[in-house]
Amino acid sequence: MSDAPSIVLDPVIHEAARLVIVSVLNECGAASFNFLLGTTGLTRGNLSAHMLRLVSSGYVHESKQIVDRKMLTEYRLTPVGRKAFAKYRAEWMRLTTGPKEQAT
Amino acid sequence: MSDAPSIVLDPVIHEAARLVIVSVLNECGAASFNFLLGTTGLTRGNLSAHMLRLVSSGYVHESKQIVDRKMLTEYRLTPVGRKAFAKYRAEWMRLTTGPKEQAT
DNA sequence: ATAAACTTGTCTGTGATACAGACTTGTTTG
DNA sequence: CAAACAAGTCTGTATCACAGACAAGTTTAT
């Protein structure tokens, strides 16, 4: 007696590149576009697209400022994003280290 | 001083459906095609394709037998697969709970 | 002022691939 | 022989990650 769809990992977070990004934001609090460029190794266009997806999913907040007379785009997790990441991690753990039932 | 590609999660294992499959095999030792059908919720064709990929990646061993006068295809992780899964988990952990360096 | 550099972003094309569902083959059972 | 079950194969579709070209705004150098 049991069967869940089982595949419930938030695709927005699960994708490898975004998983890196979200993890960094979760640890560092905030990170700039250029910093993320380095940590991910993505191209600019590509990173931009990933950030757009995270922002429009409501997981990340974007702030544009001028620092040192230069444009600076900074990102940080929203409360929703933080919660989603926590849920994703919990689901991942449950999945990869679930109870050992007998398979047929 | 530091920058690794950062995105090093084995794509064969990271994909959500296959992550479920590999996790199940890791816990249960062996599982049949029909059992995996239920736990994943995939269609037969789809599951077949995923299993093919896991088998041809050398992560899963496939055995076809006749049980109760019916065809039975069983899968289990190979030593290579088990090792790859362990590595994947280690990488995932490192990634999602890495050291808190200062971001720019 | 014009050019060069920096930061970010948009757009396009391409390749990979996950997925549903139809059809196929082989075996067993009524 | 027909119906049912197991396991695939095949096709078409949609998504999506990615590289790289180009655009736009700001700042610094000449």
Side-chain angles (χ1 to χ4, degrees):
Chain A
M1 78 185 61
S2 86
D3 64 78
S6 240
I7 302 180
V8 287
L9 293 176
D10 186 336
V12 174
I13 294 181
H14 189 62
E15 196 280 322
R18 287 191 295 268
L19 182 57
V20 172
I21 293 167
V22 170
S23 294
V24 167
L25 293 182
N26 188 61
E27 296 159 21
C28 299
S32 69
F33 187 87
N34 270 335
F35 179 80
L36 291 175
L37 254 190
T39 60
T40 60
L42 296 171
T43 58
R44 283 188 294 280
N46 215 191
L47 176 57
S48 193
H50 280 301
M51 296 317 295
L52 179 62
R53 178 132 186 212
L54 287 171
V55 168
S56 60
S57 293
Y59 292 173
V60 167
H61 175 256
E62 184 184 66
S63 87
K64 293 165 187 295
Q65 343 160 18
I66 301 209
V67 174
D68 278 337
R69 307 194 155 252
K70 279 184 271 185
M71 266 291 295
L72 178 65
T73 306
E74 266 195 340
Y75 301 98
R76 61 183 62 234
L77 287 183
T78 62
V80 171
R82 210 167 286 278
K83 221 168 281 181
F85 185 48
K87 184 177 177 189
Y88 166 79
R89 282 190 295 184
E91 282 295 340
W92 187 94
M93 294 298 289
R94 188 183 63 76
L95 211 73
T96 58
T97 62
K100 317 99 175 81
E101 303 165 20
Q102 200 51 30
T104 314
Chain B
M1 74 180 63
S2 83
D3 64 78
S6 239
I7 301 179
V8 287
L9 293 175
D10 186 336
V12 174
I13 295 180
H14 188 62
E15 197 279 323
R18 287 190 296 267
L19 183 56
V20 172
I21 294 167
V22 170
S23 294
V24 167
L25 292 182
N26 188 61
E27 296 158 21
C28 301
S32 69
F33 187 87
N34 271 333
F35 179 80
L36 292 176
L37 254 191
T39 59
T40 60
L42 296 170
T43 58
R44 282 189 295 279
N46 215 192
L47 176 58
S48 192
H50 281 300
M51 296 318 295
L52 179 62
R53 177 130 186 214
L54 287 170
V55 168
S56 60
S57 293
Y59 292 172
V60 167
H61 175 256
E62 184 184 66
S63 86
K64 292 166 187 297
Q65 340 160 21
I66 301 209
V67 174
D68 277 336
R69 307 193 157 252
K70 280 183 271 186
M71 267 291 296
L72 178 64
T73 305
E74 266 195 339
Y75 302 99
R76 60 183 64 232
L77 287 184
T78 63
V80 170
R82 211 167 285 277
K83 220 168 278 180
F85 185 48
K87 183 178 177 189
Y88 166 79
R89 282 190 295 183
E91 283 295 340
W92 187 94
M93 293 298 288
R94 188 183 63 75
L95 210 74
T96 57
T97 61
K100 319 99 176 82
E101 303 165 19
Q102 199 50 30
T104 312

